[in-house]
Amino acid sequence: MSAEEPQDDSAEDDDLRYFVRIGQTDLDGTKSVERSLSDMNGIGKRTARVVADAAGVDRMATFGRLDDDDIEAVVEVVENLEEHIPSWMANRQRDFFSGETSHIVGSDLGQKRTHDINRMKMINCYKGVRHKRGQKVRGQRTKSTGRSEGTIGVNVEAIKEDMAEEGGDDE
């Protein structure tokens, strides 16, 4: 904090878009392009960096301050992400029904995941059975974690209350 007069940011805030909409997701316009894109389902840090490079925008620039053309370029890259990333980076490799490799973002990702889990439950594969039972699916330890039947151990307060009630009856 210097002794200089504070700068007036009101002129800069006029051209700031606080929300940038891509697909069905509102992204924070006050963050950098890379951080804002990584808030979207299906896009992580590395994918956000690839999107920014493919769109030709500075990944550290504030997303809400970009021109409309730059934002449209980012939207175009996100919608056609399969063309800009290698196949090993896609989140739907060799899809069960279509056999194609694609990258799904936004709310479609949650719908596809739910559909896949329901298909596994329906065919009673190992992962589907684990999902049905509500148990760990990916081989995690279950002896000491993931217990869903409530607390295990001694409830000291309940014992003290019972003892107080028994002691009060004797008098």
mmCIF file of all heavy atoms in Angstrom, residues 24-44:
data_model
loop_
_atom_site.group_PDB
_atom_site.id
_atom_site.type_symbol
_atom_site.label_atom_id
_atom_site.label_comp_id
_atom_site.label_asym_id
_atom_site.label_seq_id
_atom_site.Cartn_x
_atom_site.Cartn_y
_atom_site.Cartn_z
ATOM 1 N N GLN A 24 -24.450 -24.227 -21.381
ATOM 2 C CA GLN A 24 -25.432 -24.010 -20.326
ATOM 3 C C GLN A 24 -24.753 -23.645 -19.016
ATOM 4 O O GLN A 24 -25.334 -23.783 -17.950
ATOM 5 C CB GLN A 24 -26.260 -25.278 -20.146
ATOM 6 C CG GLN A 24 -27.020 -25.660 -21.389
ATOM 7 C CD GLN A 24 -27.588 -27.057 -21.299
ATOM 8 O OE1 GLN A 24 -27.216 -27.832 -20.436
ATOM 9 N NE2 GLN A 24 -28.480 -27.380 -22.223
ATOM 10 N N THR A 25 -23.509 -23.160 -19.081
ATOM 11 C CA THR A 25 -22.731 -22.871 -17.888
ATOM 12 C C THR A 25 -22.349 -21.401 -17.846
ATOM 13 O O THR A 25 -21.870 -20.859 -18.835
ATOM 14 C CB THR A 25 -21.455 -23.734 -17.874
ATOM 15 O OG1 THR A 25 -21.799 -25.098 -18.052
ATOM 16 C CG2 THR A 25 -20.717 -23.578 -16.556
ATOM 17 N N ASP A 26 -22.563 -20.763 -16.712
ATOM 18 C CA ASP A 26 -22.102 -19.394 -16.494
ATOM 19 C C ASP A 26 -20.718 -19.448 -15.877
ATOM 20 O O ASP A 26 -20.532 -20.046 -14.813
ATOM 21 C CB ASP A 26 -23.039 -18.639 -15.553
ATOM 22 C CG ASP A 26 -24.350 -18.275 -16.212
ATOM 23 O OD1 ASP A 26 -24.354 -18.118 -17.442
ATOM 24 O OD2 ASP A 26 -25.360 -18.162 -15.499
ATOM 25 N N LEU A 27 -19.749 -18.812 -16.531
ATOM 26 C CA LEU A 27 -18.387 -18.780 -16.029
ATOM 27 C C LEU A 27 -18.101 -17.408 -15.436
ATOM 28 O O LEU A 27 -18.643 -16.397 -15.875
ATOM 29 C CB LEU A 27 -17.407 -19.091 -17.158
ATOM 30 C CG LEU A 27 -17.592 -20.451 -17.819
ATOM 31 C CD1 LEU A 27 -16.588 -20.630 -18.940
ATOM 32 C CD2 LEU A 27 -17.430 -21.566 -16.816
ATOM 33 N N ASP A 28 -17.221 -17.370 -14.451
ATOM 34 C CA ASP A 28 -16.876 -16.137 -13.757
ATOM 35 C C ASP A 28 -15.989 -15.279 -14.648
ATOM 36 O O ASP A 28 -14.897 -15.695 -15.040
ATOM 37 C CB ASP A 28 -16.162 -16.476 -12.446
ATOM 38 C CG ASP A 28 -15.992 -15.278 -11.543
ATOM 39 O OD1 ASP A 28 -16.456 -14.184 -11.918
ATOM 40 O OD2 ASP A 28 -15.421 -15.447 -10.449
ATOM 41 N N GLY A 29 -16.443 -14.079 -14.956
ATOM 42 C CA GLY A 29 -15.691 -13.186 -15.827
ATOM 43 C C GLY A 29 -14.589 -12.427 -15.123
ATOM 44 O O GLY A 29 -13.771 -11.781 -15.764
ATOM 45 N N THR A 30 -14.549 -12.480 -13.791
ATOM 46 C CA THR A 30 -13.515 -11.769 -13.064
ATOM 47 C C THR A 30 -12.245 -12.580 -12.918
ATOM 48 O O THR A 30 -11.220 -12.046 -12.515
ATOM 49 C CB THR A 30 -14.024 -11.374 -11.659
ATOM 50 O OG1 THR A 30 -14.352 -12.566 -10.939
ATOM 51 C CG2 THR A 30 -15.244 -10.484 -11.761
ATOM 52 N N LYS A 31 -12.287 -13.862 -13.244
ATOM 53 C CA LYS A 31 -11.112 -14.721 -13.156
ATOM 54 C C LYS A 31 -10.371 -14.726 -14.486
ATOM 55 O O LYS A 31 -10.873 -14.257 -15.505
ATOM 56 C CB LYS A 31 -11.515 -16.155 -12.802
ATOM 57 C CG LYS A 31 -12.122 -16.319 -11.447
ATOM 58 C CD LYS A 31 -12.452 -17.772 -11.207
ATOM 59 C CE LYS A 31 -13.101 -17.997 -9.876
ATOM 60 N NZ LYS A 31 -13.457 -19.419 -9.682
ATOM 61 N N SER A 32 -9.183 -15.334 -14.486
ATOM 62 C CA SER A 32 -8.441 -15.482 -15.734
ATOM 63 C C SER A 32 -9.143 -16.511 -16.619
ATOM 64 O O SER A 32 -9.986 -17.276 -16.155
ATOM 65 C CB SER A 32 -7.005 -15.915 -15.445
ATOM 66 O OG SER A 32 -6.992 -17.219 -14.911
ATOM 67 N N VAL A 33 -8.784 -16.514 -17.878
ATOM 68 C CA VAL A 33 -9.427 -17.426 -18.836
ATOM 69 C C VAL A 33 -9.226 -18.868 -18.398
ATOM 70 O O VAL A 33 -10.167 -19.670 -18.376
ATOM 71 C CB VAL A 33 -8.859 -17.190 -20.254
ATOM 72 C CG1 VAL A 33 -9.397 -18.221 -21.218
ATOM 73 C CG2 VAL A 33 -9.185 -15.791 -20.730
ATOM 74 N N GLU A 34 -8.009 -19.201 -18.024
ATOM 75 C CA GLU A 34 -7.690 -20.578 -17.647
ATOM 76 C C GLU A 34 -8.451 -21.013 -16.397
ATOM 77 O O GLU A 34 -9.042 -22.089 -16.354
ATOM 78 C CB GLU A 34 -6.186 -20.684 -17.409
ATOM 79 C CG GLU A 34 -5.694 -22.077 -17.142
ATOM 80 C CD GLU A 34 -4.197 -22.122 -16.984
ATOM 81 O OE1 GLU A 34 -3.541 -21.077 -16.974
ATOM 82 O OE2 GLU A 34 -3.677 -23.244 -16.873
ATOM 83 N N ARG A 35 -8.495 -20.181 -15.371
ATOM 84 C CA ARG A 35 -9.189 -20.537 -14.130
ATOM 85 C C ARG A 35 -10.686 -20.577 -14.320
ATOM 86 O O ARG A 35 -11.383 -21.404 -13.741
ATOM 87 C CB ARG A 35 -8.840 -19.557 -13.029
ATOM 88 C CG ARG A 35 -7.394 -19.717 -12.603
ATOM 89 C CD ARG A 35 -7.120 -19.227 -11.269
ATOM 90 N NE ARG A 35 -8.048 -19.745 -10.290
ATOM 91 C CZ ARG A 35 -8.023 -19.373 -9.034
ATOM 92 N NH1 ARG A 35 -7.144 -18.503 -8.628
ATOM 93 N NH2 ARG A 35 -8.883 -19.864 -8.179
ATOM 94 N N SER A 36 -11.212 -19.682 -15.124
ATOM 95 C CA SER A 36 -12.652 -19.652 -15.353
ATOM 96 C C SER A 36 -13.098 -20.881 -16.135
ATOM 97 O O SER A 36 -14.129 -21.488 -15.822
ATOM 98 C CB SER A 36 -13.024 -18.373 -16.085
ATOM 99 O OG SER A 36 -14.410 -18.266 -16.216
ATOM 100 N N LEU A 37 -12.330 -21.260 -17.152
ATOM 101 C CA LEU A 37 -12.691 -22.445 -17.935
ATOM 102 C C LEU A 37 -12.593 -23.717 -17.109
ATOM 103 O O LEU A 37 -13.369 -24.657 -17.313
ATOM 104 C CB LEU A 37 -11.796 -22.560 -19.166
ATOM 105 C CG LEU A 37 -12.126 -21.634 -20.327
ATOM 106 C CD1 LEU A 37 -11.049 -21.729 -21.390
ATOM 107 C CD2 LEU A 37 -13.476 -21.945 -20.911
ATOM 108 N N SER A 38 -11.657 -23.771 -16.161
ATOM 109 C CA SER A 38 -11.507 -24.990 -15.367
ATOM 110 C C SER A 38 -12.666 -25.174 -14.388
ATOM 111 O O SER A 38 -12.818 -26.251 -13.815
ATOM 112 C CB SER A 38 -10.178 -24.986 -14.618
ATOM 113 O OG SER A 38 -10.135 -23.945 -13.686
ATOM 114 N N ASP A 39 -13.503 -24.144 -14.198
ATOM 115 C CA ASP A 39 -14.702 -24.296 -13.368
ATOM 116 C C ASP A 39 -15.806 -25.061 -14.090
ATOM 117 O O ASP A 39 -16.764 -25.504 -13.469
ATOM 118 C CB ASP A 39 -15.250 -22.930 -12.949
ATOM 119 C CG ASP A 39 -14.348 -22.225 -11.949
ATOM 120 O OD1 ASP A 39 -13.515 -22.910 -11.327
ATOM 121 O OD2 ASP A 39 -14.481 -21.001 -11.799
ATOM 122 N N MET A 40 -15.678 -25.222 -15.389
ATOM 123 C CA MET A 40 -16.700 -25.899 -16.190
ATOM 124 C C MET A 40 -16.508 -27.416 -16.089
ATOM 125 O O MET A 40 -15.376 -27.908 -16.086
ATOM 126 C CB MET A 40 -16.564 -25.432 -17.644
ATOM 127 C CG MET A 40 -17.664 -25.836 -18.535
ATOM 128 S SD MET A 40 -17.445 -24.998 -20.124
ATOM 129 C CE MET A 40 -18.959 -25.439 -20.898
ATOM 130 N N ASN A 41 -17.598 -28.156 -15.979
ATOM 131 C CA ASN A 41 -17.508 -29.618 -15.908
ATOM 132 C C ASN A 41 -16.908 -30.168 -17.195
ATOM 133 O O ASN A 41 -17.338 -29.824 -18.287
ATOM 134 C CB ASN A 41 -18.889 -30.240 -15.702
ATOM 135 C CG ASN A 41 -19.405 -30.044 -14.312
ATOM 136 O OD1 ASN A 41 -18.645 -29.801 -13.391
ATOM 137 N ND2 ASN A 41 -20.711 -30.134 -14.149
ATOM 138 N N GLY A 42 -15.901 -31.037 -17.051
ATOM 139 C CA GLY A 42 -15.266 -31.652 -18.202
ATOM 140 C C GLY A 42 -14.029 -30.921 -18.683
ATOM 141 O O GLY A 42 -13.369 -31.383 -19.607
ATOM 142 N N ILE A 43 -13.711 -29.789 -18.077
ATOM 143 C CA ILE A 43 -12.517 -29.044 -18.454
ATOM 144 C C ILE A 43 -11.685 -28.823 -17.206
ATOM 145 O O ILE A 43 -12.138 -28.195 -16.251
ATOM 146 C CB ILE A 43 -12.876 -27.685 -19.106
ATOM 147 C CG1 ILE A 43 -13.633 -27.921 -20.399
ATOM 148 C CG2 ILE A 43 -11.621 -26.872 -19.371
ATOM 149 C CD1 ILE A 43 -14.010 -26.672 -21.131
ATOM 150 N N GLY A 44 -10.473 -29.351 -17.224
ATOM 151 C CA GLY A 44 -9.549 -29.169 -16.113
ATOM 152 C C GLY A 44 -8.521 -28.110 -16.457
ATOM 153 O O GLY A 44 -8.661 -27.352 -17.419
#
